[in-house]
Amino acid sequence: MASEIRDTSTICLFDVDGTLTPSRQLVKPHVEEFLQQLKQKVLVGLVGGSDFVKIAEQMGGHKDLLNRFDYVFAENGLVAYKGTTQIGQQNLKKYVGDEILQKLINFALRYMSNLVLPCKRGTFIEFRSSMINICPVGRSCSQEERDEFVKFDEEHNVRLQFVAALRTAFPDAGLVFAIGGQISIDVFPEGWDKRYCLQYLENDNIKTIHFFGDKIEQGGNDHEIYEDPRTIGHKVTNPDDTIRQLKELFFS
């Protein structure tokens, strides 16, 4: 049957937060079901800034995540899986060194200590294997507190100003400061943005790469891969918009 013929030279690659799920919330059943229908037509992959554990939590659990997607790229692809096999792993500490990392962390903590926000909670700095995540409100905030910060940030540009201060303080450190998700800033070496995952797809002779993301503006953590000439970029506003665009592309 024609419907069983799968185009393995084409992949749909998805950001997670704001693209397949509401930010830091679980994927909805109808989105999950649609992705499995899409997988019958083309390859399907995830590329998120979060670590593997967080991505797995959002996408319905650890046990079968790697079986449900052809590729899973955590931390922008610095932690990479093809099916159930890990094919890549980078190490921020070894690459950058503790001297620069400590200066960065100290600067960020000092800067955040002077911010007055609607609230502050815990986990302001999260050290991941390939990046540092800086969160002015604290990653342990509740959903209500997260929503409150989002509104405050939209009005006062807290993260935009923070990013500008970081770039001024560390102009020659070889680091990128990108607004990630709703409440945080991702810090990683130049070249370690989401484009990093594309090398694995190129090595596997995947010819057509559709990327879907919501933070595609300059400074957003989807910007570089969205603009990359190797991808066909699709700006989305929420998971239902993602599905709508996919239906037009592959099911009309």
Side-chain angles (χ1 to χ4, degrees):
M1 290 172 56
S3 60
E4 295 175 349
I5 299 174
R6 193 177 182 220
D7 180 6
T8 56
S9 68
T10 297
I11 188 169
C12 288
L13 190 60
F14 300 96
D15 165 56
V16 179
D17 267 1
T19 300
L20 294 181
T21 76
S23 287
R24 286 304 301 139
Q25 296 182 45
L26 294 176
V27 64
K28 303 295 184 186
H30 74 282
V31 176
E32 197 169 9
E33 181 181 340
F34 183 83
L35 291 174
Q36 293 310 304
Q37 295 175 20
L38 179 66
K39 194 181 174 190
Q40 296 175 25
K41 292 181 173 288
V42 295
L43 299 173
V44 179
L46 306 176
V47 54
S50 295
D51 60 35
F52 180 83
V53 171
K54 287 188 177 66
I55 290 174
E57 286 174 351
Q58 286 182 254
M59 294 304 299
H62 298 72
K63 290 185 178 179
D64 64 343
L65 178 72
L66 298 177
N67 291 315
R68 287 187 286 121
F69 294 92
D70 298 290
Y71 294 86
V72 175
F73 300 115
E75 301 183 37
N76 289 352
L78 281 303
V79 179
Y81 291 87
K82 178 182 179 180
T84 58
T85 303
Q86 186 167 4
I87 56 175
Q89 173 83 53
Q90 274 288 5
N91 187 298
L92 178 69
K93 189 174 82 170
K94 288 182 180 177
Y95 190 87
V96 176
D98 264 322
E99 182 180 356
I100 290 176
L101 291 177
Q102 283 199 49
K103 288 180 179 177
L104 170 67
I105 291 168
N106 289 344
F107 178 90
L109 289 172
R110 282 195 302 270
Y111 186 96
M112 285 187 287
S113 73
N114 292 316
L115 291 176
V116 178
L117 306 175
C119 71
K120 288 185 180 179
R121 297 299 178 253
T123 315
F124 302 101
I125 304 281
E126 187 173 81
F127 195 98
R128 301 172 182 170
S129 62
S130 64
M131 69 171 67
I132 289 176
N133 183 266
I134 300 172
C135 183
V137 68
R139 295 197 66 87
S140 61
C141 62
S142 68
Q143 186 61 47
E144 184 180 355
E145 291 162 345
R146 171 188 283 264
D147 294 341
E148 193 176 14
F149 175 80
V150 169
K151 292 179 182 177
F152 187 85
D153 189 34
E154 288 173 352
E155 183 178 350
H156 298 282
N157 293 319
V158 175
R159 290 185 297 165
L160 279 174
Q161 293 176 32
F162 198 169
V163 164
L166 286 162
R167 288 173 178 162
T168 299
F170 298 93
D172 303 314
L175 295 171
V176 174
F177 306 96
I179 290 175
Q182 288 185 305
I183 61 174
S184 60
I185 296 165
D186 292 330
V187 184
F188 46 84
E190 290 177 359
W192 285 21
D193 54 63
K194 287 182 179 177
R195 290 174 297 182
Y196 194 90
C197 73
L198 298 179
Q199 62 185 296
Y200 300 112
L201 305 180
E202 288 183 307
N203 288 342
D204 288 344
N205 285 323
I206 295 173
K207 304 299 184 187
T208 305
I209 303 170
H210 292 274
F211 172 75
F212 297 80
D214 65 319
K215 294 288 191 299
I216 59 93
E217 68 282 349
Q218 183 77 41
N221 65 355
D222 295 327
H223 175 74
E224 289 83 4
I225 190 171
Y226 175 85
E227 294 287 347
D228 193 284
R230 293 169 290 179
T231 70
I232 302 169
H234 304 270
K235 173 178 170 52
V236 301
T237 55
N238 55 51
D240 287 332
D241 183 41
T242 302
I243 290 178
R244 181 189 62 77
Q245 293 191 39
L246 287 167
K247 284 180 177 178
E248 290 179 0
L249 280 168
F250 295 104
F251 293 88
S252 60

